[in-house]
Every structure is written in C-alpha cells, then in structure tokens.
Amino acid sequence: MAQHQSIQIPSFKGELLNDAPTLDKYSHDASLFEIRPQLVAFPKNAEDISTLVKYVKAHKRNNPDLSLTARSGGTDMSGGAINDSIIVTLERYFKKIGPVSKTGATVEPGVYYRDFEPKTLSKGLLFPSYPASREICMMGGIINNNSGGEKSLVYGKTERYVKQLKVILSDGEEHTIKPLSNEKLQKKLAEDSFEGRIHKKVLRLLEKNQDVIARSKPVVSKNSTGYNIWDAWDGKTLDLTKLLVGAQGTLGITTQATLRLVAAKPLSGMMVVLMPSLKNLGNIINALLPLQATSIESFDEHTLKFALRFFYSFRTTLGWKRFIMLGLSFIPVLNKMLRFLPHFPKMILLVEFEGKRQSEIDAKIDAVEHALRKFDVTMERARDKHHEEKFWVMRRESFNLLRKNIKRKHAAPFIDDLIVPPPNLPEFLPKLYQILDRHKLLYTIAGHMGDGNFHIIPLMDLTKLRERNKISAVLQEVTDLVVKYKGSLSGEHNDGLVRGPFLDQMYPSKVIEIFSQIKTIFDPQNIFNPHKKITSDWSYSEQHIRKKF
C-alpha cells in the first residue's frame, strides 16, 4: 500500500494510494475534464468514510483546499467524480446487495446496476429508473445524479424510488435519512443534534421561500439541476432524501440506499421508426405522446454508422452467443434500409409498450402506425426480444462506443443532457441544429425523445485550441436557447463542472441563494465535492478541459 506522503490517517483501515498510475486513472471520469487528485482513498466501510470526513474537518482551517469527492463507477459525464484533493472511491468494498422483496431492496453504492437487476428480476421486480449506461454504471452514481432512463416517461426518475439513505454528513457521523411527518417530524425538530438542526434549518428555509420555490420549478418532466427544493417539503412531510438524491455528493457521502421497486411487466412490443430527415421530429414526438408509450428512445445516423463500423466491440458487452445472434438479426434491418441509400436514416425512434396482455400491446403498436402514417417515415415492428435487442444495444451503448473507439476525435459531452417541453420541439430543434452546424460540429444525438431530453455528443479533436474554444461559445448559445424555451440544462446527467456555472441563467437569484443555503446547512466547511453545482465556476472548469487522450 502506497501511503500519501503528506497525509497520514492512522485509523483508516482501507487503502490510501498516491502512485502515478492511480492518480492518472482517477483524474478522469466520462466527461471532457481532467483534474489530478492528491490522494485516492478506498474505504472498507462507513467507519473509514467517517474517519476521512473527521480528518478533513480537523485540518480544513490550515489546508482550505482539502476536500472529499465520492466516486463509484466513474461514468459521470459532467465531471462530477473528479477533483483536486481526495477521491473517495466506493467501487472496491461497498458491494453489498441486501434483501430484495416487494417492500424494497437495500444496496450499497459500489454495486453495478447490471448485478443489481438480476437480483430484482428474480423476484419479479424492477428498479425502473436505470440509465442507458446500465452495463457500466453503479448504484451510487444513479442515486447521486438522480438518474433516469428509457422508462422515465412512465416511471420517472430515481427520486421516486429512494425510501431511505444512510449518509455520512459533515459532522463525520453516519445518519439514516428518510421522510418524516407528524410526530416523527416534530420529534426530530426537537432534537438538539446535528441531524435535528439540519431538519430545522431546511424546513425554515423552505417554508419561508415556498412561493418563489413554486414559481421557479422547471416545467419539464425531469430535472437534475441544483437541489430538489421543490419536493423536499409538501406542507406535511419533510423528506431530505429529495435533496440528497441528485446532490452529486456535495452534501454528504451515501453508504447505503433502501429502494422501492415496481412489478416487472412480463410482455413488451416495439415499433422501430426510421426517419429520412429531422424536420418533423418535434411533430412526430407530439403525435406519439398521447399513446402513452413506456419508452420513446432514439439514436441518430452517426450512432448507427459507428455501431456498424465498430460492431465487433459489442462482443465484450454481450458475450459470443448473443453477439452472433445480434449479427444475424441485422440482415433484415439492413435490407429495410436500402430505401435510404446512399444515405442512412437520420434518426431511429424506438417506441416501446409494456403490459400483461399481448393483445393490448399489439393494439398500441397499431395506433403508432396509424398516428405516423401521415409522416415520411419507414416503420418496422420488432418481431421478438432478439429483434428488439439490436436496437437497444445501439441506444444504450452509444456513448460508450464513441468513448472507446474514436481515436482522433474525442466524445465531448458538454451539451449532452438538455431537456425542453415536447410541445416546444418543433420550434426549438431547428434553432438547436443551426447552432451546432454553424460551429461546424460533428455530433451524435440519442436520448429520451418522449421527455424532450436530448443527449448530444460532439466529436472533437480537443488537442486543437480552435476546437476547445468552440466549447464556451456553443455552451452559452445552447444555454440561452434552452432557457428561452422553458427547458432545463440537465434532465438526468446533473450539473458537475459543465452546467453548474450556468445555473444562475436558469434560475432567479433568490433560488440560487436558496441552493447556496442548502449547501451551507449540510456542509458549512465545503468538505464535499467542491467546484460542482452551486460552488462551480466556468473559469475553473475551462482550465481543466482535457488536451490529451
């Protein structure tokens, strides 16, 4: 074990590493940023995290830059999992999955979602807010980013499914946080304790500002910007989990979550919609919304081309048997695409329905065909699960595919999670494409089209200054456009280094002040994950854009 030269924490039982390969690895997540930490800590248990918090708390006065940034899978696209002090990685030891039942399931932050889902499905249950990165992300990131995904159109985001959290707060102790009302809330407010004081201060803040909070709520179906001050207090129940979920580790470090599950639907059906152009995309989405699909997902022609070009790389995700079956199932799809030659379809929509009876699903797919008949699209019903899988693999693996296989251009997620109300799409989208094309960006588009949530990933050579200079200009123009059309800068990927600096353009100054007070109430010494969300600054972020890959 390599101990950090200047930081000694004798009671810490896990590993403290500062060798060059470790620091290099934890200088990056899935974002376009690079920040080299001083130390990487691998805590073995909650007591180790408490030790770290108490150490930073005791030494913060003499070393103001000391901080802790929690990390699980490192797949964060906003730079939320990197920082310049101590990285606390939970991927090695926090791997426990507790009992799974109809009443819920407990899980630790270092558990891969791909390992959690089989445990729930074995009971006929599902955690429905998993993201598209389901094969590589961990539960800690899902909770702390308030993730959503392909089923969020019906099921919503992670905030709906968190029943209780165990969290190390800035006093260095582990606290159990859950919704409180009636006598339990009054008892908590009467406590002369750190946890009691937090509840009192938060309640006072939310009650005092309830009018401005209500007026400032984004009019979109999902939002991961700022802190969720809109759902933490409903006049009867104070639920601090609503603030912690999606806080990106800036208020404390999660050690365990108790989650609510839903019954898994046994049957599904899909209509695949191939679009020769994007000009009617907004109108098509609005035509589909009344049909109440479980998912309306998408990926564009660039993603399709990359998927075909790097098709062989899917073998590591799928295994050889599924990989071979996937390859064979592509043959009829390629025949279907002959009508688009010499071009590919500009966008592929996946419209999925779930249910208990196949007749109901078939009727809904018939309704899709009827609703889209007036548009210039090609439609294909997925025959079975194998037929559906090839499209889901391309949709779910799109970003990972780019990140691993594009060598000269880097996947640069900085406008990757914007969301606008679907009725605004017909006006919004042409103006968005004008910005991207005017700056001569090559980009892929995927996302949750039913929510109006777009994941736009430019492919850029960031070794060149002229390319890096585009980021600030495009980010500002897109921010202005999203705000104009009543959207949010992040539907599910969170603020981090990339969107936090622009929160003051999305919210009035009073709301920014409320966010700042929430941070101060929980973390007065700024111990947890600085430079993110409300403490972020674009000049700092811009200095840390990667130049080498």
Side-chain angles (χ1 to χ4, degrees):
M1 180 179 75
Q3 198 81 11
H4 191 272
Q5 294 177 354
S6 60
I7 298 180
Q8 302 294 324
I9 310 176
S11 57
F12 187 81
K13 301 299 191 296
E15 294 83 51
L16 300 174
L17 303 179
N18 74 328
D19 58 281
T22 299
L23 297 185
D24 287 343
K25 175 181 177 181
Y26 290 93
S27 296
H28 311 112
D29 50 13
S31 71
L32 53 76
F33 301 103
E34 177 178 50
I35 304 178
R36 191 175 180 84
Q38 297 177 30
L39 181 71
V40 180
F42 297 81
K44 284 191 172 181
N45 49 39
E47 289 76 16
D48 266 355
I49 300 177
S50 293
T51 297
L52 290 171
V53 174
K54 291 175 182 177
Y55 174 87
V56 173
K57 185 179 176 67
H59 293 81
K60 188 79 168 172
R61 181 185 296 273
N62 295 326
N63 187 354
D65 293 331
L66 264 182
S67 68
L68 302 172
T69 293
R71 176 182 174 121
S72 47
T75 59
D76 190 282
M77 295 169 69
S78 72
I82 55 177
N83 228 317
D84 53 10
S85 187
I86 303 173
I87 299 296
V88 184
T89 181
L90 307 175
E91 62 185 322
R92 184 171 292 180
Y93 295 112
F94 285 76
K95 311 289 288 183
K96 294 178 184 175
I97 301 174
V100 176
S101 70
K102 291 181 179 180
T103 61
T106 59
V107 65
E108 291 186 338
V111 172
Y112 279 105
Y113 177 79
R114 65 175 184 247
D115 296 327
F116 181 58
E117 186 180 86
K119 299 285 189 182
T120 67
L121 289 180
S122 69
K123 305 287 187 178
L125 301 167
L126 181 70
F127 179 72
S129 62
Y130 59 83
S133 58
R134 50 179 284 142
E135 298 299 325
I136 58 174
C137 70
M138 291 181 176
M139 297 304 296
I142 288 176
I143 292 162
N144 283 279
N145 279 330
N146 191 14
S147 292
E150 61 203 39
K151 296 184 186 296
S152 60
L153 190 60
V154 169
Y155 292 102
K157 300 212 303 169
T158 297
E159 62 197 8
R160 288 192 190 180
Y161 302 97
V162 174
K163 298 174 64 175
Q164 173 181 294
L165 293 173
K166 289 188 177 181
V167 187
I168 310 292
L169 296 177
S170 60
D171 64 340
E173 302 298 331
E174 186 177 53
H175 299 266
T176 299
I177 305 297
K178 56 187 175 181
L180 296 174
S181 57
N182 301 323
E183 293 108 358
K184 290 182 179 179
L185 176 58
Q186 294 307 313
K187 183 178 179 181
K188 182 63 66 178
L189 295 174
E191 287 182 6
D192 184 20
S193 64
F194 184 76
E195 194 177 309
R197 288 190 292 274
I198 284 181
H199 278 79
K200 279 184 284 191
K201 290 177 181 179
V202 169
L203 180 58
R204 189 180 305 124
L205 179 66
L206 299 181
E207 284 189 323
K208 180 181 176 181
N209 295 283
Q210 57 186 342
D211 289 340
V212 68
I213 289 172
R215 290 196 304 270
S216 66
K217 185 173 184 178
V219 290
V220 289
S221 60
K222 53 187 182 180
N223 173 49
S224 279
T225 61
Y227 299 113
N228 187 5
I229 56 178
W230 300 277
D231 297 323
W233 171 243
D234 64 2
K236 296 180 180 179
T237 301
L238 182 61
D239 186 358
L240 298 191
T241 70
K242 300 298 187 186
L243 299 177
L244 292 163
V245 173
Q248 220 165 24
T250 60
L251 304 181
I253 297 179
T254 304
T255 56
Q256 186 191 79
T258 301
L259 305 174
R260 182 169 67 87
L261 307 174
V262 301
K265 297 291 179 62
L267 300 173
S268 66
M270 179 191 291
M271 178 71 88
V272 180
V273 182
L274 308 175
M275 299 176 55
S277 74
L278 299 176
K279 65 180 181 180
N280 283 318
L281 178 58
N283 295 319
I284 287 172
I285 298 303
N286 287 323
L288 290 172
L289 285 177
L291 304 181
Q292 298 182 317
T294 304
S295 305
I296 304 176
E297 296 291 292
S298 68
F299 56 90
D300 70 345
E301 65 172 322
H302 299 300
T303 305
L304 176 60
K305 289 176 182 177
F306 288 132
L308 295 175
R309 179 180 172 187
F310 301 113
F311 186 80
Y312 189 68
S313 66
F314 287 136
R315 75 194 186 283
T316 57
T317 301
L318 301 175
W320 278 107
K321 183 177 179 180
R322 288 175 63 201
F323 172 72
I324 291 171
M325 293 182 67
L326 183 70
L328 292 174
S329 69
F330 253 110
I331 296 173
V333 177
L334 293 175
N335 288 334
K336 198 88 170 181
M337 290 182 182
L338 288 176
R339 67 153 288 208
F340 294 95
L341 293 178
H343 305 289
F344 276 76
K346 293 293 183 183
M347 186 70 71
I348 295 90
L349 298 181
L350 313 178
V351 187
E352 184 182 57
F353 297 91
E354 292 181 329
K356 296 180 179 180
R357 292 192 292 273
Q358 191 62 47
S359 59
E360 291 180 359
I361 295 172
D362 290 341
K364 290 180 178 181
I365 293 178
D366 287 341
V368 171
E369 193 167 16
H370 178 76
L372 300 189
R373 193 173 296 160
K374 60 185 176 182
F375 298 104
D376 179 23
V377 297
T378 297
M379 290 177 274
E380 179 181 6
R381 291 178 184 241
R383 296 184 301 276
D384 51 37
K385 289 289 186 183
H386 296 303
H387 196 189
E388 293 178 14
E389 184 178 35
K390 58 179 166 291
F391 296 105
W392 281 126
V393 167
M394 284 187 285
R395 167 63 188 94
R396 292 166 178 165
E397 293 292 310
S398 57
F399 178 71
N400 207 32
L401 192 72
L402 299 177
R403 192 162 61 115
K404 289 183 175 181
N405 292 288
I406 304 300
K407 303 303 181 184
R408 290 184 298 276
K409 291 183 180 291
H410 183 67
F414 64 94
I415 46 171
D416 53 286
D417 195 34
L418 59 89
I419 177 170
V420 296
N424 294 346
L425 289 178
E427 283 189 30
F428 173 84
L429 287 174
K431 294 179 181 179
L432 173 66
Y433 299 140
Q434 286 174 10
I435 294 172
L436 302 178
D437 294 340
R438 187 173 68 253
H439 287 277
K440 298 181 179 178
L441 290 177
L442 172 63
Y443 53 91
T444 66
I445 301 176
H448 316 293
M449 292 299 176
D451 289 305
N453 186 196
F454 292 82
H455 301 320
I456 302 169
I457 311 294
L459 301 175
M460 306 175 73
D461 183 355
L462 295 180
T463 63
K464 297 178 179 178
L465 180 60
R466 68 175 182 272
E467 286 286 283
R468 295 200 305 275
N469 287 343
K470 292 179 181 180
I471 293 173
S472 293
V474 173
L475 186 52
Q476 184 60 69
E477 289 185 47
V478 171
T479 295
D480 291 343
L481 188 67
V482 170
V483 171
K484 178 181 178 181
Y485 282 92
K486 311 298 182 186
S488 170
L489 301 178
S490 176
E492 55 196 20
H493 290 178
N494 222 290
D495 297 317
L497 292 162
V498 69
R499 283 172 286 272
F502 296 88
L503 288 177
D504 60 352
Q505 297 181 40
M506 184 175 160
Y507 295 107
S509 59
K510 186 62 178 177
V511 172
I512 299 298
E513 182 183 336
I514 294 168
F515 290 159
S516 295
Q517 289 183 59
I518 292 291
K519 170 67 172 173
T520 300
I521 289 169
F522 277 88
D523 185 21
Q525 290 182 276
N526 198 21
I527 291 170
F528 299 116
N529 210 9
H531 311 298
K532 315 294 159 52
K533 281 192 171 287
I534 203 64
T535 61
S536 60
D537 176 78
W538 180 246
S539 62
Y540 178 90
S541 301
E542 192 172 26
Q543 291 171 14
H544 291 90
I545 294 174
R546 294 180 67 176
K547 300 178 177 65
K548 296 181 181 180
F549 303 95

